[in-house]
Amino acid sequence: MEDLIASTLSQELKIPHLVARFLVSRGIRNAVDANRMLSCSKEDILSPWGILGMDKAVRWLLDVFEKREKIFIFGDYDLDGMSSVTLLTKALQEIGMETEWRLPNRFGDGYGLSNSAVDEMHEAGARYVITVDTGITANAEIAYAKTLGMSVLVIDHHQPSGDGLPPCDVLLDPHQEGDTYLNPELCGVGVSYKFICALFEKLSIPVPEKYLDLVALGTLADLVQMTPENRVFTKSGLARLQKSEWPGIQALYSSLMKPHSAVGGIDVMFKIAPLLNAPGRMEKPDPALKLLLCDDKKEAPNLLAELKDWNSRRKEKEAEITEAAMEQVRQVYGENIPKVLVVAGENWHVGVIGIVSAKLAQEFSRPAAVLSIMDGMAHASARAVPGFNWHKALFEARDMFDRWGGHANAAGFSLEASRIDELRKRFEASAAEQGFTGEAPVEEPHSYDIEVALGELYVDESHTVLDYFDRMEPFGGNFPYPQLKASGITVHKLRELRGGHLQMEISQAGSPSFSAIAFGLRKCKNLLGKNHSASIIFEPTWNYYNGRRSLQLCIKAIE
């Protein structure tokens, strides 16, 4: 039945049968949905006025504008937050408003809005504040700001805490109760863009599509679902990254991408986002935001060089703490791994403990929280595995925390270090209540979308299936990059590279030869001998060399 649907799609849309089979494997059953994947339609963009509170938010902003008051923009320190602050700053300055920005320092301020940040803005003369990508759970901090005479607009996309909404003047958050907006999966910069779209419409200014490169960065980095509207924004934004109006993004593209190459979702998630997030992980996020805001083409390369230095330091610190955390798990627990891993160390760098907790979760198939103890307080970052909800676990134990927030899969919190053992017991109880057993998952074969013949990868002399996959960008979040399987592979020119990587030429009966690279798969080298007929699971990718591009197979598994 699926092959019949694929054949029909192939004929109706005039696309290769392989591409049609891939679409069917992703749940596409008709030409309308298939065409939507291949060419996003602006019809999927919803009216910004559908977000609860939008009319009130625009009126609030225009009132500030008429009073000629300055707006203080306070954003989170991750890439979604920084993209949001950049978008709002540039857009509001475009209409003639004076702005100042602030980002929290995770080491001094912690996550989100704090009373100290409110005090600092108040002392700087802030009367009107926008919090972006944060604020929905800052009930006490916003109440404090109100006592100082501040008027606050919250633009967020996180879930409310469960303890009521913040006492702000205006709230934009598609997750608040009563909001019927059809795309609640917007990230922070996505909600910010909708706000600016509504504002510009009210002012009879054309839709500000030039800001979509910033929307793409935040949407991909925050791993939100690729809903139809998010897909349109991100696809358009990725195209704009290649020819961005902003000198900072121009510098990023020139440094991280091959000349004239298209930017894909994977490029943002594994090249651009880690670099922009590095300063905030190590000390303060300001250098990254300054690069995004930069209007000077001569200054942008200097700011970028500073980011690269921060990223090198981040990698070193991450490796150091990962080794210490892994060793602590082995020494403390041995073979008796609890359902929820909680490890703690004195003065562990809080900027990288989120990455370390993700590595622990992957290594031990357990939800993991990594805590850094400083001056009697423990600051934590947590990552989940399937079957465990961190937001639920923290909500149930919220009486223990000085501060907390996050999603089902990732969260952060702080508490007195003396209560860590008590917290472990609360998390174990939550795991039991959630039905999480902690049993090791059954080792399953590496998943893939469809099996193909290598000869199918070339459509004609000048086109490959990758040209069609490029049309389906962005990949990421709930729409991962295509993974294909090929059996009966013959290997030529196998070479081992430093770092445990394998480079080779491969072919299949009747197919041309393909260049292939297998990162970190040296352990599978024995499966690629002359007397073995191997199967591979791979991602088709572009390889750029001397100004030319060619198809290269990135092997993910060898069987």
Side-chain angles (χ1 to χ4, degrees):
M1 182 62 181
E2 290 195 345
D3 197 59
L4 177 60
I5 296 173
S7 296
T8 301
L9 292 178
S10 177
Q11 292 172 6
E12 289 187 11
L13 299 176
K14 294 181 172 54
I15 58 176
H17 198 265
L18 184 157
V19 175
R21 298 200 313 274
F22 169 75
L23 287 168
V24 171
S25 77
R26 293 291 178 93
I28 303 299
R29 291 293 183 270
N30 58 68
V32 173
D33 289 340
N35 197 52
R36 171 182 272 175
M37 297 303 300
L38 290 163
S39 53
C40 291
S41 171
K42 289 188 176 181
E43 294 179 0
D44 290 322
I45 298 177
L46 306 170
S47 168
W49 303 102
I51 297 178
L52 183 64
M54 184 61 77
D55 183 66
K56 186 178 181 182
V58 170
R59 283 190 279 110
W60 180 90
L61 194 285
L62 291 176
D63 180 62
V64 180
F65 182 48
E66 289 173 4
K67 293 175 181 177
R68 300 296 179 187
E69 292 277 2
K70 180 189 292 186
I71 292 279
F72 280 70
I73 304 168
F74 184 93
D76 195 15
Y77 47 59
D78 66 3
L79 183 49
D80 186 19
M82 291 189 292
S83 300
S84 303
V85 173
T86 303
L87 189 155
L88 290 174
T89 298
K90 289 182 176 292
L92 296 181
Q93 288 178 350
E94 182 179 338
I95 65 171
M97 294 195 74
E98 187 179 358
T99 65
E100 283 193 29
W101 55 265
R102 296 290 190 276
L103 298 177
N105 181 326
R106 73 174 77 204
F107 306 102
D109 305 316
Y111 171 82
L113 188 66
S114 63
N115 283 351
S116 60
V118 171
D119 283 333
E120 192 278 328
M121 288 190 287
H122 182 253
E123 290 169 7
R127 295 181 59 198
Y128 297 92
V129 176
I130 299 176
T131 73
V132 62
D133 193 35
T134 187
I136 189 66
T137 61
N139 298 20
E141 291 79 8
I142 290 175
Y144 176 59
K146 297 293 291 179
T147 67
L148 298 177
M150 293 185 187
S151 181
V152 183
L153 162 61
V154 171
I155 300 177
D156 207 345
H157 73 113
H158 295 95
Q159 296 281 352
S161 66
D163 289 328
L165 297 175
C168 52
D169 295 83
V170 192
L171 172 63
L172 292 180
D173 188 328
H175 287 292
Q176 66 174 302
E177 187 176 352
D179 196 322
T180 58
Y181 190 67
L182 296 179
N183 179 25
E185 300 306 323
L186 290 166
C187 64
V189 72
V191 183
S192 300
Y193 180 71
K194 302 300 290 191
F195 171 60
I196 293 301
C197 285
L199 175 65
F200 277 29
E201 180 182 326
K202 196 75 171 178
L203 296 172
S204 300
I205 301 174
V207 176
E209 293 184 352
K210 62 185 176 183
Y211 297 117
L212 284 173
D213 47 8
L214 297 167
V215 178
L217 291 179
T219 300
L220 287 162
D222 231 41
L223 299 176
V224 296
Q225 290 187 30
M226 278 301 156
T227 59
E229 183 175 47
N230 287 349
R231 175 170 293 281
V232 175
F233 287 162
T234 308
K235 189 176 186 67
S236 300
L238 286 174
R240 287 181 175 273
L241 282 169
Q242 190 174 347
K243 49 185 184 299
S244 176
E245 293 190 22
W246 322 120
I249 292 180
Q250 292 171 12
L252 282 167
Y253 178 86
S254 298
S255 174
L256 301 178
M257 301 297 298
K258 299 290 184 181
H260 310 299
S261 63
V263 183
I266 289 177
D267 296 312
V268 172
M269 289 186 287
F270 294 102
K271 294 179 182 178
I272 298 174
L275 188 58
L276 286 168
N277 280 326
R281 291 192 181 282
M282 295 305 297
E283 188 175 275
K284 57 182 180 180
D286 298 25
L289 181 57
K290 288 177 181 177
L291 178 66
L292 291 174
L293 287 168
C294 178
D295 291 324
D296 186 343
K297 290 186 177 182
K298 293 182 179 179
E299 179 63 17
N302 298 328
L303 294 171
L304 179 61
E306 184 180 354
L307 258 64
K308 289 183 175 181
D309 180 59
W310 281 116
N311 201 33
S312 296
R313 295 189 227 173
R314 188 267 304 170
K315 290 178 181 178
E316 293 174 5
K317 187 61 65 174
E318 176 189 323
E320 173 191 322
I321 296 176
T322 297
E323 182 178 352
M326 293 283 189
E327 182 61 24
Q328 185 177 132
V329 171
R330 287 188 285 265
Q331 288 188 357
V332 173
Y333 298 116
E335 298 296 321
N336 301 314
I337 306 293
K339 296 182 181 69
V340 181
L341 280 177
V342 178
V343 297
E346 291 285 343
N347 296 309
W348 280 354
H349 201 294
V350 296
V352 299
I353 58 177
I355 301 172
V356 175
S357 64
K359 291 186 175 183
L360 289 179
Q362 182 178 23
E363 176 72 18
F364 297 101
S365 299
R366 298 284 199 281
V370 178
L371 288 66
S372 175
I373 301 173
M374 293 178 284
D375 298 324
M377 292 295 294
H379 306 275
S381 188
R383 297 294 184 271
V385 297
F388 186 86
N389 184 319
W390 268 117
H391 189 273
K392 179 177 176 58
L394 296 187
F395 180 73
E396 292 167 350
R398 65 190 184 282
D399 58 288
M400 298 187 66
F401 304 129
D402 180 54
R403 307 180 72 189
W404 71 279
H407 306 281
N409 294 325
F413 57 89
S414 60
L415 78 164
E416 294 177 5
S418 59
R419 305 188 71 182
I420 292 177
D421 286 339
E422 179 187 352
L423 184 66
R424 287 189 172 102
K425 295 176 183 176
R426 298 280 288 271
F427 284 163
E428 289 296 300
S430 180
E433 184 178 332
Q434 293 184 43
F436 180 77
T437 64
E439 294 178 2
V442 178
E443 190 71 26
E444 296 182 358
H446 197 98
S447 62
Y448 61 93
D449 291 295
I450 56 172
E451 185 158 359
V452 303
L454 291 183
E456 293 184 278
L457 299 179
Y458 284 113
V459 178
D460 53 41
E461 291 184 358
S462 57
H463 295 90
T464 75
V465 294
L466 196 47
D467 292 298
Y468 291 87
F469 288 153
D470 284 347
R471 291 171 56 186
M472 297 181 205
E473 286 278 7
F475 292 102
N478 65 329
F479 190 64
Y481 201 81
Q483 298 213 351
L484 312 177
K485 180 177 181 178
S487 302
I489 297 301
T490 302
V491 179
H492 319 278
K493 301 179 183 178
L494 178 62
R495 188 160 69 100
E496 185 175 328
L497 307 178
R498 289 179 60 185
H501 314 311
L502 302 175
Q503 188 178 56
M504 67 199 86
E505 297 286 327
I506 65 172
S507 64
Q508 197 180 42
S511 84
S513 182
F514 291 86
S515 171
I517 184 100
F519 293 108
L521 291 183
R522 177 177 55 189
K523 61 185 179 182
C524 300
K525 185 177 180 180
N526 64 320
L527 299 176
L528 300 173
K530 293 182 179 179
N531 298 322
H532 289 89
S533 178
S535 295
I536 60 168
I537 295 169
F538 66 94
E539 296 176 352
T541 62
W542 291 120
N543 181 46
Y544 293 88
Y545 184 71
N546 283 342
R548 298 170 63 92
R549 73 175 189 177
S550 59
L551 187 62
Q552 178 175 261
L553 311 187
C554 183
I555 298 176
K556 314 302 287 187
I558 302 171
E559 300 172 347

